[in-house]
């Protein structure tokens, strides 16, 4: 469903389980930091709201969205975590960088998830402009950070139940 029809912070269609006792990593890209800071706040607050302990949330920064891949890989290699949430914002510019970065990050995050057999969540906004990004970072379309954190909890719950 297109995000203009779906509020990213509306979970009325599903039940988000408790996150108590689960350990999460959050990797946040510093490019477009006003947007990614809002994504981080959304993700962190949702984990706490669902019962996660603050000491069970390990937060790190990386320079840009491209580095979310190695950031997530490092976290899962060096820490005992149940899931990693990757947060970034790639805004279309005048160069082909947008396509390269978006494709690399999407594929890279999927590969890290498969390598470690752990959920690695794609909480990356890919927008045409800053307004579209702000609309999805706590604006009129909700917060992609909330949605990424809810997805992480749901995937950890799935893994625990198998
Ligand atoms: N990183 C982002 O997270 N969002 C962006 O919109 C973004 N745009 C970029 C545009 C250009 C022209 C370049 C060179 C980099 C950009 N990056 C962006 C940074 C990228 O993810 C990575 O950190 C750097 O390319 C590493 O040198």
């Amino acid at each position: 469903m297109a995000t203009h029809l779906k509020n990213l912070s509306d979970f009325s269609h599903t039940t988000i389980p408790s996150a108590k006792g689960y350990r999460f990593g959050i990797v946040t890209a510093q490019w477009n930091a006003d947007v990614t800071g809002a994504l981080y706040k959304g993700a962190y607050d949702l984990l706490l709201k669902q019962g996660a302990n603050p000491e069970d949330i390990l937060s790190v920064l990386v320079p840009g969205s491209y580095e979310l891949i190695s950031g997530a890989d490092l976290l899962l290699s060096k820490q005992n975590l149940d899931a990693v949430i990757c947060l970034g914002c790639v805004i279309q510019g005048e160069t082909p960088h947008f396509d390269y970065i978006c494709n690399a990050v999407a594929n890279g995050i999927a590969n890290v998830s498969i390598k470690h057999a752990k959920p690695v969540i794609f909480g990356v906004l890919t927008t045409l402009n800053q307004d579209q990004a702000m609309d999805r970072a706590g604006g009129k379309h909700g917060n992609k950070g909330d949605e990424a954190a809810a997805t992480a909890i749901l995937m950890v719950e799935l893994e625990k139940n198998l």
Side-chain angles (χ1 to χ4, degrees):
M1 185 184 285
T3 50
H4 70 278
L5 299 173
K6 155 112 180 62
N7 188 294
L8 293 159
S9 303
D10 175 11
F11 304 113
S12 55
H13 60 291
T14 186
T15 303
I16 311 300
S18 168
K20 192 171 168 52
Y22 297 163
R23 289 176 51 82
F24 299 92
I26 306 180
V27 192
T28 306
Q30 289 178 284
W31 266 69
N32 303 309
D34 46 348
V35 176
T36 62
L39 298 179
Y40 175 78
K41 181 167 171 29
Y44 186 83
D45 288 352
L46 190 130
L47 293 178
L48 292 188
K49 186 170 157 231
Q50 294 305 121
N53 296 315
E55 59 269 27
D56 288 336
I57 304 172
L58 180 56
S59 302
V60 298
L61 296 171
V62 294
S65 289
Y66 188 78
E67 289 74 39
L68 291 169
I69 305 162
S70 49
D73 188 36
L74 283 168
L75 274 184
L76 286 168
S77 298
K78 291 175 175 285
Q79 299 286 332
N80 178 26
L81 300 169
D82 293 303
V84 172
I85 299 161
C86 296
L87 302 173
C89 172
V90 192
I91 298 178
Q92 179 135 44
E94 293 174 357
T95 71
H97 265 85
F98 179 78
D99 295 319
Y100 290 122
I101 293 173
C102 292
N103 287 331
V105 175
N107 291 327
I109 286 176
N111 287 337
V112 174
S113 182
I114 292 164
K115 173 183 168 188
H116 292 276
K118 293 275 170 70
V120 182
I121 310 303
F122 184 81
V124 181
L125 291 173
T126 58
T127 63
L128 299 179
N129 54 52
Q130 175 91 5
D131 284 349
Q132 286 184 347
M134 295 308 280
D135 287 346
R136 292 158 179 80
K140 66 183 179 188
H141 296 311
N143 192 324
K144 179 80 178 163
D146 295 7
E147 187 229 27
T151 303
I153 299 168
L154 286 163
M155 291 305 293
V156 175
E157 183 78 358
L158 172 67
E159 195 270 333
K160 301 287 181 194
N161 287 334
L162 287 176

